[in-house]
Each structure stands twice: as C-alpha cells, then as structure tokens.
Amino acid sequence: LDIAFGGQVRLAGYDLEQDADALRLTLWWQALQAPPADYTVVVHLFGPDSPTPLVQSDAMPRGGAYPTSGWAAGEVVSETVTLSLADVPAGTYRLAVGLYDQTVTRLTAVGSDGQSVPDDRFVLPVEVSVRP
C-alpha cells in the first residue's frame, strides 16, 4: 500500500475493526514533506452499485487535534476514524479514503505505479460485510 496525495502525504497502511454497530478504520499517514496546509481526511463507505457514500467521515486528523500543517517531513501519524453502521442496510460495501484542502478540492492521488487514482480517492482492498 503506497498512495501519495498531492505529493505531500502518503497512505502507508491501515487496520480495520468492525462490530455490529460501528467500523473503526485506523489509517497510517506519512508526511513526504512538511504539509503547507491543513487537510481534511475523508472516508467513504459505499455500495457496489454507486460511488455515493452511505456513511462518511470528513475530519482533520485526530478530530482536529493534530492538523497536517504541524506534521514534519517523514513523520508517521496514525488516526482512527469511526463510522456508524446503525443505518446501513445489510450488504457488502467498500471503503475509500482521500484528502482535501480548505477549498474542498481533493488532493491528487497517485499509486506507487505512478498511475492516477480515479476520483482522487483510494478504494481500500477490503470488503465490509454488514449483516441484518
């Protein structure tokens, strides 16, 4: 896993925990350089038939407690995003992650192969099953 956002921040890894009511996604970010601005992390839970999120989180890292403008080059920062599954119908879903700036413009996402990631949001290689 090696996705660079805006050439500034890299998604280095993730961990996923799920119970009946919630999903906890821990993301590990690495600053490729000291980010010049504060970026918002977006996480989307979406179904197979539409990219529109059923549940989403938009927040600065660690709930705003550690904005990206304070990160040093090379620093690795972890954060955990919790998504409620209370209103999500039973089914199989995917998770996508991205970053955007204060104008709500997504940072360009590029994979380790140098290819652009569609919609500048990286779809994690994992499925989420929600049971009735």
Side-chain angles (χ1 to χ4, degrees):
L1 186 65
D2 186 2
I3 307 297
F5 292 91
Q8 300 171 42
V9 178
R10 174 173 90 90
L11 180 61
Y14 69 95
D15 189 34
L16 189 61
E17 293 179 22
Q18 180 181 348
D19 58 33
D21 299 324
L23 193 67
R24 280 172 296 287
L25 177 65
T26 300
L27 301 167
W28 282 276
W29 301 102
Q30 182 177 29
L32 299 172
Q33 60 184 39
D38 292 332
Y39 300 121
T40 298
V41 176
V42 60
V43 178
H44 290 164
L45 179 77
F46 65 99
D49 301 326
S50 171
T52 303
L54 276 81
V55 181
Q56 76 181 63
S57 167
D58 292 74
M60 288 193 184
R62 298 186 184 167
Y66 196 30
T68 53
S69 63
W71 298 4
E75 183 176 3
V76 175
V77 176
S78 69
E79 67 162 329
T80 300
V81 175
T82 301
L83 297 177
S84 171
L85 298 176
D87 297 322
V88 176
T92 302
Y93 300 92
R94 302 294 302 268
L95 287 164
V97 177
L99 289 170
Y100 62 81
D101 65 17
Q102 51 270 40
T103 67
V104 197
T105 301
R106 287 189 188 159
L107 274 62
T108 305
V110 178
S112 57
D113 58 1
Q115 297 296 309
S116 294
V117 174
D119 297 326
D120 293 320
R121 65 174 202 168
F122 177 65
V123 178
L124 298 178
V126 64
E127 291 187 337
V128 175
S129 292
V130 176
R131 293 180 177 79

